[in-house]
């Protein structure tokens, strides 16, 4: 089978398809017969760009094997945009073959139904991590550990113990690292531990999936864990933490107060014992709250300001990280009605259309009333949420008292401490080796974990005159990126950036070293998955498009593709290969990467939905969908307010009731904005200032706009009394 090969050309031959090249196509895939997946497969192939041949090769390789072909069609039909644009036939084929190998070799392999195999064993991804070849190395290590296990339950615990040997908990970064990165780094946050454990379980033929609370109401943050399917049904366990076993974890008591628990299946489930919350492309999201907490149905009726039933979206939010965080959104039907099963507590229901909106608190406390009262929502013109409300959730819950305490040591403390010590020794050795190699930059080198040989090779191969720049680049890079980077990628990023800076200077665009390192050399733009994009972007974008105006024009030609809950955002190379994007954010990240490839300093402003580029004198906006507005700081009302002098706000929030400490941004309060007039989103980046400890006053600066100061003080039960104050700046 001939694989795709790119033939570079010097001229952009087609404006709609802006890559300066074409591909030798492998034989096209033609369905062997009718299947309900055929239309979806065709859509995936048509939006895969120049990676279509890889997907067709994968499908064609399974012809003559009916079960494998069916599985290959299922995988392909549900590939998110990031996968269909980048995955090779070899990766997909290896994933499929080893999934079938586990089915044939594990004692429980054929006890798993074909449907559960497709949705929970076969999939190559768990969440929003970058897809890699994890199944081979995991199968090789895990198969001997579990092949003699008398039951699937015992095998699950053995695999979870294996994951604990590989990694410990630590807050990392906002994008998900893949399971091989977690092994190389030795630390993971909860979702990354789930990705590791679910992948490991699937490598042994055990059905597994991710479950999560989108946001706690009794504290900040959220949590994600693993669910496994055995002959007795679905069970939960804490990922890479074998202290307690099945259906018993530190979060058992916390989950009893969960407003909502969601579980994720790859593909479209036709039947489930749990209600389907929503179906997105390639993913079925299940409402599994009733497995963890007492529940009650919320019945919503939505009407316009004249009282007529209204089809629209209703957001359900709880107080978390100093604002009202949406945990769900429901679509009302033609009769203006919607229904959902929810856990206990107080939730903000909100909806908006045009200049009319509604904000309503729905509370259900088990033991006080049998079920939630129906919520009748009516839009009101010019409605502004203001006031104070107690967000309750505490109730008399005997079951929670039997749950283990958070951070409990469990009964196996001595054994697990030994495993933890072995893991720590492994990574302490990395730090020692980095210190020996270069004491002055050991901290930056050690961030690469078990990937350190690649970093050391790059450092050794780097030209002496650029060594200082190389180490400064390492200091800027995120640990997750250094764990994934190859030596040649690091060198290419450095040397191509230096070359691009010189070419930009030849065109009159000059800048200092700080701008160069942060906004040209830096390969990290926002929360996208790491990839070495610089070399391919600089080669494959036509010469006459290598300006801010040309890049903006390319962004405007990108077609829009749908994206579900599984799969990461399209990376810059994914956008390039598929000539598509699923969001404005993906366009902005692509534009930023492209500009940096040509030595033009750039940065993405996610709260503004535009990119800034530096023209040698000042920073100017690039609007991905409006090339005619490029460089015009007065193009929109938002850009005018952003580039004018910001407004100052001073206030003294009350101290925390629990400990008397000063209120903190994110933890206790935020300035938030209403998105689409319907739900709150905290202002994280478009804000300046801080707390003055002398006069106990917060001073903040923000552009013009409508804001809400949202502040919550928790009582002894942890329930927040939330105040909402509207603040409107308009020069």
């Amino acid at each position: 089978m001939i694989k795709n090969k790119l033939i570079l050309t010097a001229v952009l031959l087609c404006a709609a398809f802006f890559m300066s090249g074409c591909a030798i196509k492998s034989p096209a895939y033609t369905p062997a017969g009718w299947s309900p997946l055929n239309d979806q497969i065709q859509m995936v192939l048509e939006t895969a760009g120049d990676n279509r041949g890889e997907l067709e090769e994968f499908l064609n390789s399974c012809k003559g094997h009916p079960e494998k072909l069916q599985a290959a069609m299922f995988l392909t039909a549900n590939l998110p945009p990031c996968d269909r644009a980048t995955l090779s036939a070899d990766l997909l084929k290896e994933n499929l073959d080893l999934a079938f190998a586990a089915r044939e070799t594990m004692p429980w392999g054929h006890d798993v139904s074909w449907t559960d195999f497709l949705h929970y064993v076969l999939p190559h991804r768990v969440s929003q991590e970058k897809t890699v070849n994890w199944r081979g190395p995991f199968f090789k290590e895990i198969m001997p550990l579990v092949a003699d296990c008398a039951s699937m339950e015992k095998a699950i615990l053995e695999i979870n113990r294996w994951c604990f040997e590989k990694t410990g908990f630590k807050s990392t970064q906002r994008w998900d690292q893949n399971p091989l990165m977690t092994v190389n780094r030795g630390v993971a946050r909860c979702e990354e531990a789930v990705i590791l454990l679910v992948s490991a379980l699937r490598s042994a033929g055990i059905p597994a999936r991710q479950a999560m609370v989108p946001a706690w109401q009794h504290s900040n943050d959220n949590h994600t864990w693993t669910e496994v399917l055995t002959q007795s049904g679905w069970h939960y366990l804490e990922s890479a933490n074998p202290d307690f076993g099945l259906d018993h974890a530190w979060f058992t008591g916390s989950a009893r107060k969960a407003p909502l628990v969601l579980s994720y299946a790859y593909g479209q489930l036709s039947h489930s014992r749990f209600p389907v919350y929503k179906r997105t492309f390639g993913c079925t999201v299940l409402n599994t709250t009733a497995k963890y907490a007492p529940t009650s149905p919320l019945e919503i009726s939505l009407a316009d300001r004249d009282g007529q039933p209204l089809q629209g979206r209703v957001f359900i939010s709880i107080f978390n990280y100093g604002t009202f965080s949406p945990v769900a959104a429901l679509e009302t039907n033609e009769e203006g009605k919607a229904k959902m099963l929810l856990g206990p507590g107080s939730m903000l229901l909100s909806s908006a259309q045009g200049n009319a909106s509604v904000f309503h608190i729905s509370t259900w406390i088990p033991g006080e009333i049998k079920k939630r009262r129906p919520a009748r929502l009516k839009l009101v013109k010019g409605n502004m949420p203001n006031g104070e409300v107690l967000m309750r959730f505490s109730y008399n819950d005997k079951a929670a008292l039997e749950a283990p305490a958070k951070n409990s040591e469990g009964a196996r403390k001595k054994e697990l401490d030994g495993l933890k010590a072995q893991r720590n020794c492994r990574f302490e050795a990395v730090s020692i080796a980095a210190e020996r190699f270069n004491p002055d930059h050991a901290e930056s080198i050690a961030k690469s974990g078990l990937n350190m040989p690649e970093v050391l090779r790059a450092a050794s191969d780097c030209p002496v005159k650029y060594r200082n720049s190389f180490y400064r680049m390492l200091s800027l890079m995120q640990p997750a990126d250094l764990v994934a980077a190859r030596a040649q990628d690091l060198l290419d990023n450095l040397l191509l950036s230096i070359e691009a800076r010189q070419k930009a200077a030849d065109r009159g665009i000059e800048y200092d070293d700080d701008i160069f390192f942060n906004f040209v050399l830096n390969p990290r733009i926002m929360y996208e998955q790491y990839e070495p994009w610089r070399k391919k972007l600089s080669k494959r974008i036509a010469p006459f498009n290598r300006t801010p105006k040309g890049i903006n024009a390319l962004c405007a030609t990108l077609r829009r593709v749908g994206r579900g809950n599984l799969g990461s955002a399209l990376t810059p190379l994914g956008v390039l290969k598929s000539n598509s994007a699923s969001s404005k954010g993906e366009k902005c990240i692509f534009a930023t990467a492209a500009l940096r490839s040509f030595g033009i300093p750039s940065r993405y402003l996610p709260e503004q939905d535009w990119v800034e580029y530096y023209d040698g004198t000042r920073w100017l906006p690039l609007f991905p969908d409006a090339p005619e507005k490029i460089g015009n700081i007065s193009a929109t009302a938002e850009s005018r307010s952003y580039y004018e002098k910001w407004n100052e706000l001073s206030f003294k929030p009350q101290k925390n009731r629990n400990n008397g400490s000063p209120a903190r941004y994110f933890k206790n309060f935020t300035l938030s904005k209403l998105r689409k007039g319907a739900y709150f989103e905290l202002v994280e980046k478009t804000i300046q200032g801080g707390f003055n400890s002398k006069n106990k006053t917060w001073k903040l600066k923000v552009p013009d706009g409508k804001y809400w100061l949202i502040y919550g003080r928790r009582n002894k039960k942890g329930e927040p009394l939330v105040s909402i104050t509207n603040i409107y700046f308009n020069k």
Side-chain angles (χ1 to χ4, degrees), residues 418-627:
L419 294 177
K420 188 187 300 183
Q422 293 176 26
R423 185 202 325 133
N424 290 341
C425 281
R426 193 161 63 242
F427 287 94
E428 284 170 8
V430 170
S431 297
I432 293 170
E435 185 74 26
R436 288 173 177 163
F437 183 82
N438 190 321
D440 294 334
H441 300 285
E443 184 177 351
S444 296
I445 295 170
K447 290 191 299 184
S448 60
L450 300 183
N451 193 47
M452 192 174 67
E454 292 291 323
V455 175
L456 298 185
R457 186 155 62 90
S460 299
D461 292 346
C462 180
V464 175
K465 63 179 178 178
Y466 297 135
R467 288 273 173 84
N468 289 337
S469 295
F470 175 82
Y471 285 118
R472 185 168 176 181
M473 177 183 73
L474 293 190
S475 71
L476 288 174
M477 291 182 67
Q478 292 284 333
D481 296 342
L482 286 173
V483 167
R486 297 181 305 170
Q488 191 59 51
D489 297 337
L490 292 170
L491 286 175
D492 285 346
N493 187 69
L494 174 67
L495 300 179
L496 289 173
S497 296
I498 293 171
E499 180 184 348
R501 183 184 189 181
Q502 183 57 55
K503 290 181 179 178
D506 294 341
R507 301 194 304 271
I509 304 175
E510 297 185 294
Y511 38 82
D512 61 31
D513 283 348
D514 284 342
I515 289 179
F516 169 69
F517 281 104
N518 287 296
F519 304 113
V520 176
L521 177 69
N522 194 344
R524 167 61 47 197
I525 298 168
M526 189 51 58
Y527 307 134
E528 74 281 3
Q529 290 293 331
Y530 169 79
E531 67 176 4
W533 41 259
R534 195 178 302 273
K535 188 172 186 178
K536 289 185 179 179
L537 288 180
S538 61
K539 284 186 175 182
R540 295 181 60 182
I541 293 178
F544 53 81
N545 281 322
R546 297 174 184 178
T547 63
K549 186 175 181 180
I551 298 300
N552 205 163
L554 291 180
C555 288
T557 67
L558 296 172
R559 60 187 170 189
R560 185 68 180 265
V561 293
R563 176 183 162 202
N565 285 77
L566 298 182
S568 60
L570 277 163
T571 60
L573 291 183
V575 170
L576 182 75
K577 290 177 65 120
S578 65
N579 193 31
S580 62
S582 66
S583 67
K584 188 179 287 187
E586 290 176 358
K587 291 184 178 184
C588 287
I589 290 172
F590 166 76
T592 303
L595 289 167
R596 290 184 184 181
S597 295
F598 304 121
I600 303 170
S602 59
R603 57 194 180 196
Y604 170 35
L605 305 180
E607 293 178 350
Q608 280 65 48
D609 276 340
W610 68 68
V611 172
E612 279 191 321
Y613 66 94
Y614 189 71
D615 70 351
T617 304
R618 57 179 180 164
W619 290 93
L620 297 169
L622 178 155
F623 305 94
D625 292 329

Side-chain angles (χ1 to χ4, degrees), residues 169 190 213 216 218-225 236-245 247-257 400 402-410:
F169 175 80
C190 60
V213 172
W216 295 119
H218 68 281
S219 67
N220 290 327
D221 220 333
N222 62 359
H223 191 55
T224 304
W225 58 85
Y236 68 88
L237 71 163
E238 176 70 334
S239 311
N241 185 343
D243 278 7
F244 301 107
D247 298 327
H248 198 54
W250 70 261
F251 60 83
T252 298
S254 297
R256 298 284 300 167
K257 298 186 286 285
E402 300 172 0
K406 186 175 182 179
N407 299 324
S408 172
E409 296 291 346

Side-chain angles (χ1 to χ4, degrees), residues 35 226 252 321 353 568 691 721 724:
S35 166
T226 298
T252 298
Y321 274 126
Q353 287 198 10
S568 60
F691 181 69
L721 178 65
I724 311 168

